[in-house]
Amino acid sequence: MKRVFANMGWLLGGRGFNAVLSLVYLAIAARTLGTDGFGYFALIIALGQAVTGFSSFQTWQFIVRWGADPDKPGVDLQRAREATGFAVALDGVSVAVGTLASAVLVLTAPLWLDVPPQLLWLTFWYCVISLLTIRTTPTGMLRLHSEYGKATWAEAVQPIIRASGAVLAWWLMPDVTGFILAFAASEVGTAIALWIVAARVQPVPLSSISLKAIPARHKDAWRFVLSTNMSGSLAVAGKQVMILLVGTFGGAYLAGGFRIANQLGVALIALAQTISKAILPELVQSRDGAVEIARRMANIAAIAGVAAVVTAILFGRPGIALIAGDEFTGFYWAMIILSIAGAVELVGASLESLLISAGKAHVAFLVRLFPTILALLMLELAIDWKGAQGAGFAVLGSSVLTVVGFYLAIVNLKQFRLVVDEPESKGADKRPAPPER
């Protein structure tokens, strides 16, 4: 537990720094672009992040899972190189598939997305840059080696460039293009910083880049890859696709307001991801105490979630007015609803990590699948009923059903403790026996 809290300390420190500077560029963008302009900005960012989320793989989980020493806590360097090479190869697949998807989506955007035609080329290139700067692989390398401090310093490049870029956009190019360029620059800078730091911790030989080595060693590799990819895609659907559909059904103004409510109210989900990323390496490397670690972190998350929701209720309205302007205060109740959804996700983060660490990523995916589909199907009716608040209720309902599903899955998996103590695939995490003489 001591190392879990140390990991969380570094991650939360980075999140806190990011959150403060996020408010800076959010305030500058919202006040400079106005309601419709900020809505276009929000939709372009959401499309880029959605394409990246659906195309990319959760490679940091592969590195943490397959790079760890199966016999004792720590890192097996040979396995770590194999896992990293596999992750890099998958990143290449993500870029190719995502670029093709971006072209199709942008060409058809006039039919479904409330973005002016003159911004569509900008939208396409932002999607491509987002794909080229996927950084889950270097992040996973640093987490495997418990280098959370170095990861935090490297990731601090993003909010610094975004905030300074927002100031430059306000001064030199106060339009949607200027702010999108600032966001793109932050993605490039952060990716470069992370790869430089990660390569110093664990060099990546070109000979290790392969899609064959890991599947040859681990028979369940592709199932785990696809399960975590689909789970990540569902997480994207719950956030970025939700913003895109809010824009489709309600227009750019509603999308912009929902983005602000989401960023302020769902900061808890970022905290949930922080807890998940901090404890997953410990769950993998300390299997005997995995259930106890997850239980204690869920209790802490519940207390933090309640405190954050109360804070949002008391200070949310003046906070929106101060940051985004009075024209966005109508989204206060949407922010409250989304903050409650974030608190629910906060509790579920450790439960989901427990399932994944036990080799049940496919179960976690199925648990997320149905509530997410239900929320997306009900979204148009929810928006017609209550606008942004209705969309918030759709997100909240999905979060509640998902976390209840995680709990029931853990309770009902009779062999769960056995899976935690022993690798799921027979022989997958054991060293090969020496040849007989």
Side-chain angles (χ1 to χ4, degrees), residues 99-100 102-104 106 119-129:
T99 300
L100 180 60
S102 299
V104 173
V106 170
L119 293 176
L120 292 181
W121 272 111
L122 176 69
T123 304
F124 172 74
W125 286 113
Y126 177 75
C127 292
V128 173
I129 289 174

Side-chain angles (χ1 to χ4, degrees), residues 289-302:
V291 175
E292 177 63 18
I293 291 174
R295 184 189 64 80
R296 292 178 65 180
M297 296 311 301
N299 291 339
I300 293 171

Side-chain angles (χ1 to χ4, degrees), residues 394-414:
V395 174
L396 175 58
S398 175
S399 297
V400 170
L401 291 175
T402 298
V403 174
V404 170
F406 287 150
Y407 177 77
L408 293 176
I410 290 173
V411 169
N412 287 285
L413 283 174
K414 296 181 180 179

Side-chain angles (χ1 to χ4, degrees), residues 232-323:
S233 297
L234 286 176
V236 170
K239 292 186 287 184
Q240 308 307 331
V241 173
M242 186 70 69
I243 293 174
L244 290 172
L245 291 180
V246 168
T248 298
F249 299 136
Y253 167 69
L254 198 67
F258 189 81
R259 163 85 186 202
I260 288 175
N262 191 60
Q263 187 159 339
L264 295 178
V266 192
L268 285 171
I269 292 181
L271 182 58
Q273 292 172 340
T274 299
I275 290 177
S276 174
K277 292 169 183 176
I279 70 173
L280 182 58
E282 302 306 315
L283 296 179
V284 172
Q285 296 181 23
S286 305
R287 290 176 174 135
D288 292 338
V291 175
E292 177 63 18
I293 291 174
R295 184 189 64 80
R296 292 178 65 180
M297 296 311 301
N299 291 339
I300 293 171
I303 296 171
V306 171
V309 171
V310 172
T311 302
I313 292 172
L314 294 177
F315 303 107
R317 191 182 297 276
I320 292 176
L322 177 65
I323 294 168

